[in-house]
Every structure is written in C-alpha cells, then in structure tokens.
Amino acid sequence: MYEHHSIRRNICGTAESIRQITPELLYSCYNSFYNLSNMGLFICGILLGGLIGVGMMCLIYYLSGQDGVTSAGLSLKVSIKVVEIAAKVFDHTLTTEEILYYADIIHFMIRKFAHMGLYFLLAVSVSFPLYVYGLRGIPLMLIAGAFCVAFACGDEYHQSMVAGRGPSKKDVMIDSIGVLAGIIVVRIVGFIGRKTIFRKLSKDYKRKKVAA
C-alpha cells in the first residue's frame, strides 16, 4: 500500500539493525535532528483565538456594565496614573492639585483610547485565526470587521440600559478605527510571517520530505 512512501519502513527495526546501533550513532542522530533549527511553532488559531476573542468580548461587556460613576472613576484613576508616570519620566514634581488638573484634561482622551484599544485587541483575536485558516484580503476585513462593529453597536445598546451611561455613535466610530487597525496589523504580521519564517519552514519541510 505504501510502496513508495517512507511510512513503509518498520520503525521497530530488526534484531540485526538494533545490534548495529552504537552510543556514537545515537548522539549523532540526536545532535542532527533534535535541535532548535529543526523545531517549528504551531498555534491552534481557531481554538486559541476563539477563546481570546470570547474573553475580550466578556471584558468589554463587563466594563460597559459599570454605571457612569464607577466607569468615570476607573478611567480617572488611569488618567492620574498616566500623569504621575509622565511626571517621573520628565523628572517634574507636581502637587496633588496639579496632578488632578492634568488628569482631568486627558481624561476624555484616555476613555476614547481605551475604547479604541479594547476593540483593536478584539479585532486581532477575531481576525488572526481567520487569517491562519485562509481568510485574507478584503473578505477578512469585511467579515471580521462586520462582526466586531456589530458587537460595538450591541455594546452601545447595552450601555443604554446602564445607569449614567448611554449609546454613542461617536464611540462606535472610534471602536471601528480600533477594529480597522487591528485587522490591518494582523494582515501585515501574517504577510511578513508567510514571506519569511513560515516560507522557510515550508521549504525545509518539503526538502526533508523529498529526501525521505
């Protein structure tokens, strides 16, 4: 059945072939084949990406479920931390009042960048497994983009039922920018990977298959 395939060989060998094995031969085999240059990294894109995507959606849904006061307080804490880190980086001492003043200035931007960042990560987790399994180009952008933007619309509707929160078309647009950026990054990384790392692995695999 496997007349012309290497699988036809009996991997157990024979008593005669086993007697011919020496420690030197075993070490030579180990050093030739069991090394980093012969190793490949494989990621189960659908399962892993799907779990990460579900996790991101749960995180976004959880944050959207916070009431207005809690949500604003969380983003204000982040803004204060950003101001404190910037002050340390630039070796500038600020009073508590100054920290609160600058935090209040950047508070709005922090909230919108958080929106964009969350949907960037969601888009990456959704589009990467699709890319791995062959969905690329415009179809990838349409399908992954439509899914993420639809989730953003549903999330805004969810916020309309939370105290102190409300739906915003502007937020959907900001989320969409994050989605677009995430899909573009996946396409760029995937393209570079196919032209460099995975192309080399494919060539090595074919060369070994022919040699076998």
Side-chain angles (χ1 to χ4, degrees):
M1 182 176 179
Y2 297 103
E3 182 180 353
H4 302 292
H5 197 280
S6 57
I7 199 174
R8 72 186 184 279
R9 300 170 184 167
N10 186 352
I11 62 174
C12 295
T14 63
E16 182 182 352
S17 64
I18 292 175
R19 279 195 295 268
Q20 295 175 357
I21 297 176
T22 62
E24 291 76 16
L25 179 61
L26 289 176
Y27 279 117
S28 176
C29 179
Y30 175 81
N31 293 327
S32 298
F33 299 104
Y34 293 86
N35 54 65
L36 290 176
S37 63
N38 286 334
M39 296 179 68
L41 175 64
F42 297 90
I43 301 175
C44 299
I46 290 294
L47 178 60
L48 180 62
L51 291 176
I52 296 175
V54 170
M56 285 303 306
M57 288 188 284
C58 290
L59 175 61
I60 293 171
Y61 190 84
Y62 167 76
L63 294 174
S64 298
Q66 295 179 332
D67 61 74
V69 175
T70 303
S71 178
L74 177 62
S75 54
L76 182 59
K77 287 180 181 178
V78 174
S79 301
I80 290 172
K81 196 66 179 177
V82 170
V83 173
E84 290 175 344
I85 292 174
K88 288 182 180 179
V89 170
F90 293 102
D91 194 23
H92 189 69
T93 303
L94 297 175
T95 64
T96 302
E97 290 75 15
E98 289 175 325
I99 291 175
L100 291 174
Y101 171 75
Y102 290 117
D104 186 61
I105 292 177
I106 67 172
H107 186 204
F108 178 79
M109 290 188 296
I110 292 294
R111 289 184 66 86
K112 300 312 171 186
F113 274 116
H115 262 275
M116 191 182 301
L118 286 171
Y119 278 89
F120 171 86
L121 295 176
L122 176 62
V124 169
S125 64
V126 169
S127 58
F128 180 74
L130 296 176
Y131 185 94
V132 169
Y133 281 85
L135 186 65
R136 294 164 188 166
I138 300 300
L140 174 67
M141 301 191 72
L142 291 177
I143 294 176
F147 177 84
C148 294
V149 172
F151 182 80
C153 294
D155 183 55
E156 291 301 317
Y157 175 74
H158 169 232
Q159 290 185 40
S160 67
M161 297 180 285
V162 178
R165 307 288 293 273
S168 170
K169 294 180 181 178
K170 183 182 294 185
D171 283 348
V172 174
M173 293 179 63
I174 292 173
D175 298 340
S176 300
I177 295 173
V179 169
L180 179 62
I183 297 174
I184 290 175
V185 167
V186 167
R187 291 188 62 187
I188 292 173
V189 172
F191 178 80
I192 293 174
R194 287 192 296 117
K195 297 298 182 182
T196 54
I197 300 173
F198 293 105
R199 170 173 286 186
K200 182 180 182 300
L201 291 175
S202 178
K203 288 181 177 179
D204 291 343
Y205 173 76
K206 290 178 180 178
R207 185 162 53 248
K208 290 178 182 178
K209 188 175 180 181
V210 171

